[in-house]
Amino acid sequence: MIKTAQDMKSYKKQLKEALADKFLRSALDNFNTAYRENRPIVYEGVDFEGLKNEIAAGKDAALPHLIEMFEEFKAKAEAVGAKVHTAKDAREANQIIAAIAKDNRVKKIIKAKSMTAEETFLNDHLEKEGFTVTETDLGEWIIQLRGEGPSHMVMPAIHLSRYQVGDLFAEVTREKQESENIDKLVKVARKQLRPAYLEADMGISGANFAIAESGALGLVTNEGNMRLVTTFPKVHVALVGYDKLIPDLKSMFRILKVLPRNATGQAITSYVTWIKGAVECASSPGSRKEMHIVFLDNGRLALAKDPVFSESLRCIRCGACANVCPIYSKVGGHKYGHVYIGAIGLILTLFYHGRENGRAIVRNCINCQACKEVCPVDIDLPHLIKKTHGVILHQEGKKPVKNFLLSTVMKNRKLFHFILRKAYLAQKPLAGKEPMIRHLPHFFGKEHRFRSVPVISKIPFRDQWQQIRPQVVEPKYNIALFVGCAIDFIYPEQARALLKLLKGRGVQVEFPMDQSCCGLPLLAAAEEETAKDVALQNLRAMHAGSYDYILTLCASCGSHLKHNYLKMFKSDPDAPENLKQFTDKIIDFSSFMANVLNISAKEFKAAPQKVAYHSPCHLCRGLQVTEEPRRLIEIAGYEYVPSKDEDVCCGFGGSYSVDFPEISSEILKKKLDNVQDSDARLLVTDCPGCVIQLRGGMDKRETKIQVRHIAEVIAEALK
Amino acid sequence: MKNPDLIQQMRERAEAVQAIVSIIGTMKDACQYAVAITKKQGGRTVVAAGLKTKEQDYLKNECESSGLRLLEFPLRPHANEIHTSLTIVDGGVAETGTLVLDSTSEDVRIATMLAETHVAVLPALKIKPDTTALENELNAVLKADVPSYTAFITGASRTADIERVLAIGVHGPQELHILIMEENKA
Ligand code: SF4
Ligand code: SF4
């Protein structure tokens, strides 16, 4: 049975157990890396971005016509002997299917893999009604025998080792199994399940596509069991979500170019099958299959009309959003979804399985954007996860104290900054003369001790500004610096490094004093209203019209200002007029130095130091800047040494690392291990948030690897 | 793309997914191939779908002289004893090494789903470069007001459900042999 945590306390307990599962950890970590490494090979010669946009547009165009497409499908399918049913929810779907079974005097049922049947807990229902149900997909069979739910949408038993499977098969066959040999284990399933196909009276499948123009179902599979399930028994029932309706074959072919690639790294699966109507079937009294298709609503039709969440119905269940998720790879699918797993599971659970099951898991997203990047139907998953969190908070009507405080403080910049200044005084005794707090007070709990914590700066950048403000006559560029809280109050030296680098280049920098926090932490806490409030303050403060660029040294601020500001005000009639002008001018440090100022190697002394690079999520995926920082490192005379998984999250995610320190520290550990393996002496990145995490973690290790913001190391290399 | 290039691409892509590809001239070659592979694998039975009467008779003779049994339709009673199935497929997609097989007949389905080894004859002229080139043809089948069961088959049946290790031959055939038939060669 699926036991999804319904509160944070039990969720934390479950997470701890998952983190202690050694097999799970190494299997999923390896999978995460292998999947990402294999992707470019799988997509060679295929225009992923182009297809993605076409598919998303196609799905969006079709969604408002679900009912029309359904009617068309129904007419075509019924004309050739299929019976089409509709179910408003899971219970009704299960009842319809049980009734079909009874009408046809069915005893034994075999099933092919169907996430939709998992969604309705169909097996439980049918078994309660007295039917014998046998799953035939290898992974599904394994988890059925174990009484578990799937831990991945494509590979349901990915959480198990061959030895666990071998032991299980030994029990089933009462014969010892050579667990080492996976081929032999697979053959056990082949042999054991063969008789089941011949004995069953009813086969149940899902479908990947319901093609409106022809009334045919499209199914994409590998093992061959679905073909047997739909051939031998006299009855075939296909359980299909309304979201599987597509207008035509062309749409299916388009999706077929990405679905297998994304799901299993194949150009196409072993089998793609189109079933239309009641085909020949010798075991059926009329020699024609009893063919039933049950369309499941369960919230889909309402979702299709939702201006924000309809996007989630584009999902084709490829599973990739879990494959690349750093958190999924740490805790596994049983702790990262309810029935639907991975990023999309954090969203759909609320709609299909209720907020009780969604409320804890929805908080476990670090907003690294990895899922969004690989999603073949262009769902903005991290964004919808936050929106889902917001809906749950709203529905529950009681906000966590943290949200209340955060919201109150952040609305008022002066109060916020006052508190930060006070924090300096409170922290001072903890740090002593050290630049970091190495021993947190005990009330923090030991799970927070995986990193040292930076000290709030004595004089924030904003208080230094009057003294250091450069004066440029006849400037080539006028830029405004958006400094962000971390640099303003913790690392002012990073902004000073920028000023040093800009000297003599004709760049007039201004620091608009009324700028506040970018607002990302508010969005992360699902406080969108206050996030918008803060955004308006910044829009007013920054006077975008007066500058050529608004430069930021913080990748997270940068991508939030550039993309989320637009998103937050998307359908807001009161959206500020200069919004687009503002977002267009946002630029990150590396792009400004490398592309706008075109700084050249001549200005730098050779600093033959080996430098590893951490690519911040919000730079490489958020702002899509990947090449510039690496180029900059080399221009400045350093030797850039690539390390593994450079573009994988560092585990910071702002308050994420405080809310989920156990996971944050595991993600960080892998990151730092990879850097240490690269024999670099210096680790460079372009986000002060990442610096907090990486430097704090490195400080706890016995290594000499320094962690710096890219602006600092580039400035230091100047002749 | 010219036909020889399509054949070459078809071959490469199919081999990349563990299909075993040969070029043959006539259906006689195909029958001999099916008998030989069955004997080699220690199988005892062969079933064929889509052959002309003359070809079927030839195959029957070949089987008998090799001590093999050619199973007759309907296949349900033989479900547990099909070793090799020989079929003539309706098309190929070079881009992915895919075979297209109208499987509306239940016996064709049983033959190609339960056999240990599937030997598929693909007439060279029926190879299309990609799915787009196949769209109209397939749409004609799907849109016709008759029930149908159409299959794309690419390589042998497979799974990676245990530790993500690729294993060939789960529930469907363990081997797929593709015989590309260039009739003018004979
Ligand atoms: S944004 Fe990152 S952490 Fe969140 S679901 Fe996507 S991949 Fe996982
Ligand atoms: S949300 Fe996107 S990536 Fe995730 S399963 Fe659905 S289609 Fe695949």
Side-chain angles (χ1 to χ4, degrees), chain A residues 321-322 324-328 336 342-344 346 364-372 381-383 385 617 621 649 656 667:
Chain A
C321 52
V324 297
C325 173
I327 301 171
Y328 173 85
Y336 211 59
I344 191 71
L346 303 193
N364 198 1
C365 166
I366 200 168
N367 190 20
C368 74
Q369 317 264 320
C371 50
K372 178 180 168 183
L381 294 152
H383 175 66
I385 291 170
C617 301
R621 286 177 290 274
C649 181
Y656 181 88
I667 298 175

Side-chain angles (χ1 to χ4, degrees), chain A residues 153 315-321 344 375-377 379 381:
Chain A
M153 299 203 292
C315 175
I316 53 170
R317 311 276 187 264
C318 73
C321 52
I344 191 71
C375 178
V377 292
I379 303 176
L381 294 152

Side-chain angles (χ1 to χ4, degrees), chain A residues 139 162 187 190 230 270 272, chain B residues 142 149 152 154 161 163 172 174:
Chain A
R162 63 186 76 186
K187 295 297 173 313
R190 180 184 178 91
T230 55
S270 301
V272 178
Chain B
L142 293 179
Y149 196 113
F152 271 17
T154 312
D161 270 355
E163 291 194 16
Q174 316 214 39

